[in-house]
Amino acid sequence: MQGAGTGLKLVSACLLAWGLAACGGGGGGGGGDSAPAASAGSSSSLASSSSSSSSLASSASSSSSSVKPVPAGWASYTADTLPTAAAAISLGDGTTSSFKLCASTGCNAAYASVANGILSVDTQSESTPAEQSYFQYDNAFSTAGYPKTATVLTRMRGNAVANLKGLTLDMAFSQPGESGPRVQMSLLPDNDSNGFYLSQIDQSATGDNNVYAGNIDATAWHVYQVSVTFTSAKTGTVRVYMDGSSTPIIDKTLTDFRQATAIGQNYLRIGEESTSEHAKGDFDWVVWTSDAAYTPAQLAGKLPAAVGAVAGYMGWSAYTGDLLPTATGSISRAGQSSTQFKLCASAGCDASYASVGSGLLSVDTTTAPLTSQTYFQIDDAFSTGGYPKKATILARMRGNGLAGVKGLVIDSAFSKAGESGPRVHLRMLPDNDSHGFYLSQIDQSASSDQNVYGQDIDATAWHVFQISLSFTSATSGKVEVYLDANPVPVISQNFTSLLQATAVGQNYLRIGEEDTSGAGRGDFDWVIWTSEAAYTPEQIKGLLPSGLGTTTGY
C-alpha cells in the first residue's frame, strides 16, 4: 500500500487499469505515470518460474460442493507485499490468505514487483506476448446461490506508452458445478478514446460484445468500483463507478453474461492476462466483498482502514454555516440523509445570540446574561462502538479583538452506551492571551492546572483547527491539535486520565458558547468530522468535502 510509512494512504486520484485475459479477451492497453522505481534493493521480485508457485485450482476440484463460505466484510490486498506472500490478503473474519501465481505454461512472475506500497507489472520485456503475469485468489466471492452480489474496488493506473495496454481486474462468480458469470475489466492505452471496457461481457451482442466506458486519463490514478448483482448464471446488472462519482460510467443489465471458462471457477485475478500483447501498469490496492452491490455513497467512510483516506469515499459529516445549526438539513452526512443540530437544553440556553450571514455562523453573548449559553449539539456524532476508536474534527473559525473576551468552543464527547467516555473541549482564548487556545481540563491526572494550552495566535484571523483523536479506553488516548494544516501539531499528548463526559452515554459534537461564567464571541465558517481515523493534515489534503470554500493548507 502506498504510503505505508504513515499507515494510511492518500488517494486524491486513483485508477484501475485492466488488461485482456488469455481466457477470452482482446487487445487494449493503458497509459499512466511511471511506477515508483523498483530496484533490487527496494523491491521484491517473484521467482520467474511458475513451477515455484502453487498450481491454481482450475480442475474439477474447483467445483467441489465443499467450498468454504466466503467471510462477510471486506477482503483486501494493499500491495505492501507481493500477492503470493503469506498473509498478503486480509479477510473479513480476521484471517489472512494470499494469491497464487497463474498456472499456465506462459506464466512468469518475474515481470511483477512491489516497491513503495505499489504492485507493478510490466511485460514489455517478455520473450513472447504469450507469457502472462497475473495472480489469482480462488473462492473470492459467494457460492451461496442466486441472487448474489459483489463489490470490488481498486486503485490503479496504466502508463503513458502509446498503444500499450494496462492491466486486468478479472472476476468469476461460478457456483460449484456450473460455469457462472465473468466480469473482466481492461484498461485501454492512454491514446484510446474508449478508456476502458468490460471484455466480451455482452454475449447477446451480434457484433462487438465489449462494453466501453469513454475517454479517461490513463496516466493518472483512479479508483474504480465494480458493483454486480446476478439473478442467475447469465443474467444480472453490472455498474462501474470512478473516483466515487454517484453516476456510473457503465450501467448494464444483461441477459447473456460472459461465462467463466471452466466449471466452478470463482476467483479474483489481478495483473496481465493477455497472450497476444504486452502490458504495463500499477495496483495500489484492491478490496472486495460479497455483502452487497454497493453504490459509492453507501461506502462513504466504510472502506477498510488499511486503504486510508480515499477521495470520493470519505465519511465526512459537514456543517457549512449556510443555515442556522438547528435548521432542517444543516448537516450533510456522507452516504446518509442530512440532519441538524439541536439547541442546548439547559435553562440558560438562548438561540437569539446566534445568527447566520454570508455563510458564517456568528455567536456573540457579550450582551447576554452571564449564565446564558448559546451552543448547538448533534448527538451520536462519533462511533459508539468499543475501543480503540478514532476521530478527526476540523473547523475554520475565528475569535474576536475584544480584550478579555474568549472565542467559541468545539466540544466533543465519545462515550459508548453505558459508560462516561472521553471528552475533548477546545476553546479559543482572548486575543490578548498568549496561550491562544486550550483543551479544557483534559488532563485529569494533573494535580493543579488540568488544561493543556496551545500557542499564541492572532485570534482575530481565521484559522483551521484540526483535532485528531485516538482512544484506547474511556480514560486513555492520544490527542493532537494542528493549526492551518501545519504538519507539526501544536498539541500532541498521550493521556492516561482524560476528561470524562458529564453523563453516561454522552456522544456528541457541540459548537458555540458554553460558558456560564463569562461571555464569548466568534464565528464558524465550517465544521467537519469523521470517525474513520485520526488523520494528519497530510493524509487528508485534497480530500475535504466539496463546498466548504476556503480550506487553507488542505
Side-chain angles (χ1 to χ4, degrees):
M1 181 183 72
Q2 190 178 43
T6 65
L8 291 165
K9 170 186 331 234
L10 291 183
V11 189
S12 57
C14 325
L15 178 142
L16 172 52
W18 335 67
L20 294 176
C23 302
D33 298 333
S34 59
S39 66
S42 64
S43 69
S44 303
S45 180
L46 292 174
S48 60
S49 173
S50 62
S51 63
S52 65
S53 171
S54 300
S55 296
L56 298 180
S58 58
S59 65
S61 62
S62 68
S63 63
S64 169
S65 61
S66 61
V67 173
K68 180 181 177 181
V70 175
W74 290 105
S76 60
Y77 168 68
T78 55
D80 296 310
T81 63
L82 288 159
T84 52
I89 297 171
S90 297
L91 299 173
D93 61 359
T95 61
T96 60
S97 190
S98 57
F99 290 88
K100 298 176 183 178
L101 177 64
C102 52
S104 62
T105 55
C107 281
N108 191 337
Y111 304 112
S113 61
V114 166
N116 303 319
I118 300 295
L119 169 65
S120 300
V121 180
D122 183 353
T123 63
Q124 292 180 94
S125 62
E126 61 190 0
S127 58
T128 168
E131 288 188 286
Q132 299 169 293
S133 191
Y134 71 86
F135 306 91
Q136 179 167 321
Y137 176 60
D138 287 316
N139 301 320
F141 305 103
S142 172
T143 56
Y146 299 96
K148 66 171 67 179
T149 58
T151 301
V152 182
L153 292 90
T154 188
R155 184 178 188 239
M156 257 179 111
R157 66 179 173 185
N159 60 78
V161 181
N163 302 318
L164 182 66
K165 70 183 183 67
L167 303 180
T168 296
L169 185 82
D170 187 1
M171 300 151 281
F173 301 89
S174 302
Q175 292 288 114
E178 72 161 18
S179 180
R182 179 183 179 191
V183 178
Q184 180 194 33
M185 192 168 177
S186 303
L187 185 69
L188 290 164
D190 188 47
N191 58 322
D192 191 311
S193 62
N194 286 310
F196 65 91
Y197 67 108
L198 304 182
S199 178
Q200 301 181 16
I201 194 168
D202 186 2
Q203 293 294 296
S204 69
T206 55
D208 188 350
N209 49 23
N210 300 321
V211 173
Y212 298 93
N215 198 25
I216 62 168
D217 179 5
T219 68
W221 290 101
H222 296 282
V223 170
Y224 285 82
Q225 176 179 334
V226 183
S227 297
V228 295
T229 300
F230 301 112
T231 52
S232 73
K234 288 196 171 187
T235 59
T237 299
V238 57
R239 295 185 175 93
V240 182
Y241 304 86
M242 191 168 77
D243 296 335
S245 171
S246 61
T247 303
I249 295 175
I250 292 175
D251 187 348
K252 284 287 186 180
T253 297
L254 302 175
T255 58
D256 194 4
F257 264 92
R258 180 185 183 183
Q259 302 292 281
T261 54
I263 298 293
Q265 282 187 326
N266 186 299
Y267 61 68
L268 175 71
R269 292 176 179 172
I270 57 173
E272 199 280 303
E273 291 184 302
S274 180
T275 57
S276 60
E277 296 178 277
H278 303 301
K280 178 183 177 181
D282 307 297
F283 285 93
D284 191 357
W285 49 261
V286 186
V287 300
W288 62 98
T289 180
S290 294
D291 290 352
Y294 292 112
T295 65
Q298 291 171 326
L299 296 179
K302 297 179 181 178
L303 295 184
V307 303
V310 182
Y313 294 87
M314 296 292 288
W316 294 113
S317 294
Y319 170 71
T320 58
D322 296 309
L323 301 169
L324 282 167
T326 53
T328 301
S330 65
I331 298 172
S332 62
R333 300 185 295 177
Q336 302 179 60
S337 58
S338 61
T339 187
Q340 56 278 334
F341 291 91
K342 60 183 180 182
L343 180 65
C344 51
S346 60
C349 283
D350 190 337
S352 66
Y353 299 105
S355 61
V356 168
S358 302
L360 304 178
L361 168 65
S362 300
V363 178
D364 183 357
T365 63
T366 55
T367 61
L370 196 61
T371 58
S372 68
Q373 297 171 295
T374 303
Y375 69 86
F376 304 92
Q377 178 171 322
I378 172 70
D379 289 319
D380 296 329
F382 306 101
S383 170
T384 56
Y387 299 94
K389 65 172 68 180
K390 300 183 180 184
T392 301
I393 306 165
L394 289 88
R396 185 171 187 258
M397 57 191 294
R398 65 181 174 187
N400 60 80
L402 302 177
V405 177
K406 292 181 180 179
L408 302 181
V409 166
I410 306 170
D411 184 2
S412 48
F414 300 88
S415 304
K416 65 178 184 179
E419 73 161 21
S420 179
R423 180 184 179 191
V424 179
H425 181 277
L426 182 147
R427 180 155 195 178
M428 292 186 69
L429 288 163
D431 189 44
N432 60 328
D433 190 313
S434 62
H435 290 116
F437 61 93
Y438 68 105
L439 302 179
S440 177
Q441 301 178 26
I442 192 169
D443 187 2
Q444 294 291 294
S445 69
S447 57
S448 54
D449 189 353
Q450 296 177 327
N451 300 324
V452 172
Y453 297 93
Q455 66 183 33
D456 193 17
I457 61 172
D458 178 2
T460 68
W462 288 104
H463 295 283
V464 176
F465 291 86
Q466 177 178 332
I467 309 169
S468 297
L469 308 155
S470 298
F471 302 114
T472 53
S473 73
T475 57
S476 60
K478 186 174 185 179
V479 178
E480 294 185 302
V481 180
Y482 302 87
L483 193 65
D484 298 328
N486 190 312
V488 179
V490 176
I491 295 173
S492 180
Q493 190 164 333
N494 288 295
F495 297 93
T496 57
S497 186
L498 284 159
L499 175 69
Q500 300 292 280
T502 56
V504 170
Q506 281 188 323
N507 186 299
Y508 61 69
L509 176 71
R510 293 175 178 172
I511 58 173
E513 203 287 299
E514 291 182 302
D515 201 341
T516 57
S517 60
R521 178 179 175 182
D523 307 293
F524 285 95
D525 186 3
W526 49 261
V527 186
I528 62 174
W529 61 98
T530 180
S531 293
E532 285 182 20
Y535 292 118
T536 65
E538 186 65 28
Q539 289 168 337
I540 53 176
K541 283 186 177 179
L543 298 174
L544 303 192
S546 61
L548 295 182
T550 302
T551 56
T552 304
Y554 293 91

